[in-house]
Amino acid sequence: MVTGRDDSHHHIGGPTEKCGVVGVALGGRDAARPLYYSLYALQHRGQESAGIVTHDGFQQHSHVQMGLVGDAFGADDLDGLKGEAGIGHVRYPTAGDVSKSCAQPFAVSFKSGSLGLAHNGNLVNADELRDELENFGHAFTSTGDTEVIAHDLARNLLEEDLVRAVKRTMERIHGSYALTIMHDETVLGVRDPEGNRPLCIGKVDDGYVLASESAAIDTLDGELVRDVKPGELVVLDPDGSGFDSYQLVERDNTAHCFFEHIYFARPDSVMNDTLVYEVRRGLGRKLWEENGVDTDVVMPVPDSGRAFASGYAEAAQEDDATVEFAEGLMKNRYVGRTFIMPTQDERERAVRLKLNPIKSTVEGKSVTLIDDSIVRGTTSNQLVQLLYDAGATEVHMRIGAPPIVAPCYMGINMATREELIASDKSVEEVRDTIDADSLGYLSIDSVAEVLEKSRADLCLGCVTGEYPYDIDGEETDRDVSRPVVGAEAPLSD
Ligand code: SF4
């Protein structure tokens, strides 16, 4: 990961989502601007590069640039993206190099037509598929897994119709994916059979939208229709009049990323029919029930802990009306995300640049500080110190998620096992390291309860070390194995 890169939506050095995807099909106006606004709404899901691919019925148009959405597109670029259908992508790299060759959407023309692909997630069997496809003469231009999906699909399209070709590719790829795809002027959305990464369908006046999060649909003044189902293919009518649905793969259990609800998604997005903000407040309430501590004041780490703290404080006040809920840390909004700190030492100073305590809400008081997660622990340690320096008598830390003990292979830039503070430490040892008076996390069962899911339908890999996919060298939490590809199972003929 690019260390020192700050994601102002979350906290410093925290996990980063890899990508956001969008697709639109409209009747009667160009798709470029709606795609551009949608990408703005999804900017928190990736800041490394942004791209749009459209199709005007004759040919594909593509503009992909490194940088933030606002910097990647000028008015001329948008004007050049002709056509009423298109897909878009914001990216934070996890698989593949940090270079333009891996920026997305991936666009290419094959014998079977033109294809554009935008991918959120991460395949765990991309290397096997790449080897096999290379043996069949496919030449790759990037190291990313998205190009592997594109080539596999292109190959299947030579023999099958669109729906069958997608199904066949889905049976061969293993891992997490929410995809928006353009095949000529047809826009498709696909969600992996485990539903690991989110994707939803929205309606606007003159067409339909597919997006990682419903906040993108809101930005277009549209209505959320529903989530794309795990294993479902959605095909938008090119004239914007509707969409078709095909349930291509079905599993007994899903593996939704619980971390989307806790950390990545915008609080104003709706996922699994629930507003993310309300889920976070519910997790905060549960945290009080499970691990509450009596203090003078409850305060969030901005902005990541805010919804949790509001739920936690509300529940605490129901038990003790004198508990204060206050903003105790002020954020400097102008520490940009391009603020690159070359050394670990300077990186640690970033917290002080970014957050300043409001003395009056802290001085002489016992404080509960609420955040959504602890990753490396460096930030938490500095925040605790900051509050002590501002005169807090006690600092108790409460976290709206279970301890993160293992890395993510599904496309979240989580840090390595060695970097994760809880991977080899007990809660008491973590408390000692961050120097707080007490530390409490939320249990896995409580997370499942608040998300109204059974544990078996969630991905909990990063908090249990057991994954819903067959990953080399890691344990699984279900009966799962990779599809056989390569020499043992050659493509047909
Ligand atoms: S390992 Fe954690 S972050 Fe990764 S997909 Fe699973 S729940 Fe989400």
Side-chain angles (χ1 to χ4, degrees):
M1 109 171 243
V2 187
T3 47
R5 182 162 290 265
D6 170 25
D7 171 5
S8 70
H9 182 72
H10 297 123
H11 37 102
I12 296 156
T16 39
E17 174 70 61
K18 73 181 286 190
C19 298
V21 301
V22 62
V24 302
L26 304 171
R29 67 182 160 130
D30 277 349
R33 278 184 167 73
L35 286 166
Y36 172 70
Y37 301 138
S38 305
L39 292 181
Y40 249 110
L42 299 175
Q43 182 79 82
H44 62 289
R45 298 181 72 88
Q47 298 94 44
E48 188 70 25
S49 66
I52 290 176
V53 171
T54 60
H55 200 287
D56 62 11
F58 299 100
Q59 58 171 321
Q60 205 177 50
H61 305 272
S62 161
H63 182 83
V64 179
Q65 274 291 311
M66 302 305 286
L68 297 171
V69 177
D71 302 327
F73 297 93
D76 288 351
D77 302 320
L78 293 176
D79 290 342
L81 290 163
K82 299 280 182 226
E84 295 166 13
I87 59 172
H89 192 264
V90 285
R91 178 172 201 270
Y92 192 99
T94 52
D97 300 333
V98 185
S99 72
K100 198 170 167 195
S101 69
C102 276
Q104 294 187 24
F106 180 77
V108 70
S109 285
F110 294 100
K111 257 186 279 176
S112 43
S114 72
L115 270 180
L117 249 95
H119 175 202
N120 172 209
N122 196 46
L123 299 188
V124 297
N125 71 340
D127 290 347
E128 290 139 67
L129 282 168
R130 177 192 303 270
D131 286 351
E132 184 194 77
L133 289 161
E134 275 173 350
N135 286 339
F136 283 107
H138 287 251
F140 288 85
T141 60
S142 75
T143 55
D145 52 354
T146 308
E147 193 178 357
V148 174
I149 304 175
H151 279 265
D152 198 70
L153 187 56
R155 192 176 172 86
N156 294 337
L157 278 166
L158 292 173
E159 295 167 8
E160 315 264 22
D161 65 29
L162 184 59
V163 174
R164 285 211 192 94
V166 172
K167 181 169 172 28
R168 189 144 169 197
T169 292
M170 286 172 81
E171 286 163 353
R172 285 162 49 75
I173 58 182
H174 187 59
S176 70
Y177 51 92
L179 299 164
T180 53
I181 304 174
M182 280 213 88
H183 178 236
D184 296 332
E185 72 268 59
T186 304
V187 173
L188 326 173
V190 183
R191 199 167 169 208
D192 73 69
E194 284 73 25
N196 182 255
R197 304 252 64 86
L199 190 65
C200 61
I201 312 168
K203 184 177 182 345
V204 291
D205 281 350
D206 54 352
Y208 281 84
V209 184
L210 293 157
S212 294
E213 290 184 39
S214 65
I217 299 164
D218 296 337
T219 305
L220 302 180
D221 266 335
E223 295 272 329
L224 173 65
V225 176
R226 63 171 171 84
D227 287 338
V228 175
K229 293 180 206 127
E232 183 187 19
L233 162 68
V234 171
V235 183
L236 303 187
D237 294 339
D239 63 359
S241 61
F243 65 87
D244 292 312
S245 152
Y246 304 87
Q247 188 65 45
L248 296 184
V249 185
E250 244 169 307
R251 297 263 198 273
D252 294 339
N253 287 102
T254 58
H256 296 298
C257 168
F258 83 97
F259 228 61
E260 281 284 348
H261 302 269
I262 287 195
Y263 187 96
F264 298 116
R266 281 172 55 147
D268 53 337
S269 282
V270 174
M271 267 178 197
N272 290 333
D273 301 322
T274 323
L275 188 66
V276 171
Y277 180 73
E278 287 307 331
V279 167
R280 288 181 190 162
R281 274 174 44 84
L283 292 162
R285 292 190 65 93
K286 199 77 201 164
L287 184 59
W288 165 259
E289 261 175 53
E290 209 173 68
N291 244 324
V293 53
D294 289 322
T295 57
D296 300 325
V297 56
V298 173
M299 60 182 58
V301 174
D303 297 315
S304 48
R306 217 164 249 148
F308 296 87
S310 115
Y312 180 97
E314 188 182 78
Q317 283 163 347
E318 283 165 16
D319 290 344
D320 171 6
T322 65
V323 181
E324 206 186 326
F325 174 47
E327 293 281 340
L329 294 165
M330 206 49 219
K331 191 166 159 179
N332 176 356
R333 295 186 185 284
Y334 301 98
V335 179
R337 55 171 60 81
T338 49
F339 183 74
I340 309 278
M341 294 147 285
T343 68
Q344 177 69 20
D345 184 47
E346 283 176 305
R347 191 168 143 201
E348 285 172 12
R349 295 173 68 95
V351 172
R352 301 217 91 124
L353 270 171
K354 191 154 181 174
L355 295 171
N356 200 28
I358 298 171
K359 264 209 156 162
S360 65
T361 60
V362 176
E363 204 166 16
K365 291 180 180 161
S366 60
V367 175
T368 306
L369 186 64
I370 312 268
D371 208 352
D372 59 354
S373 56
I374 298 182
V375 183
R376 292 176 177 82
T378 357
T379 307
S380 309
N381 176 249
Q382 291 168 68
L383 292 175
V384 169
Q385 209 50 57
L386 215 59
L387 292 175
Y388 279 131
D389 291 350
T393 56
E394 291 169 27
V395 181
H396 301 267
M397 189 104 192
R398 290 295 177 272
I399 303 297
I404 300 170
V405 299
C408 177
Y409 298 89
M410 274 64 80
I412 305 302
N413 218 335
M414 187 75 93
T416 63
R417 244 195 192 88
E418 296 68 44
E419 290 168 326
L420 291 168
I421 189 169
S423 72
D424 61 351
K425 285 190 173 64
S426 66
V427 174
E428 172 53 23
E429 287 167 332
V430 175
R431 183 208 62 75
D432 191 54
T433 311
I434 66 170
D435 217 11
D437 286 290
S438 77
L439 168 67
Y441 291 93
L442 194 61
S443 70
I444 295 175
D445 286 334
S446 290
V447 170
E449 189 189 316
V450 174
L451 293 182
E452 294 178 10
K453 293 265 172 214
S454 97
R455 278 177 70 143
D457 286 323
L458 293 172
C459 177
L460 296 164
C462 52
V463 292
T464 61
E466 293 177 356
Y467 298 85
Y469 299 98
D470 179 0
I471 298 162
D472 286 337
E474 298 285 2
E475 304 283 321
T476 59
D477 67 1
R478 60 194 70 195
D479 187 15
V480 61
S481 56
R482 295 182 190 203
V484 181
V485 296
E488 290 141 75
L491 294 172
S492 64
D493 308 315

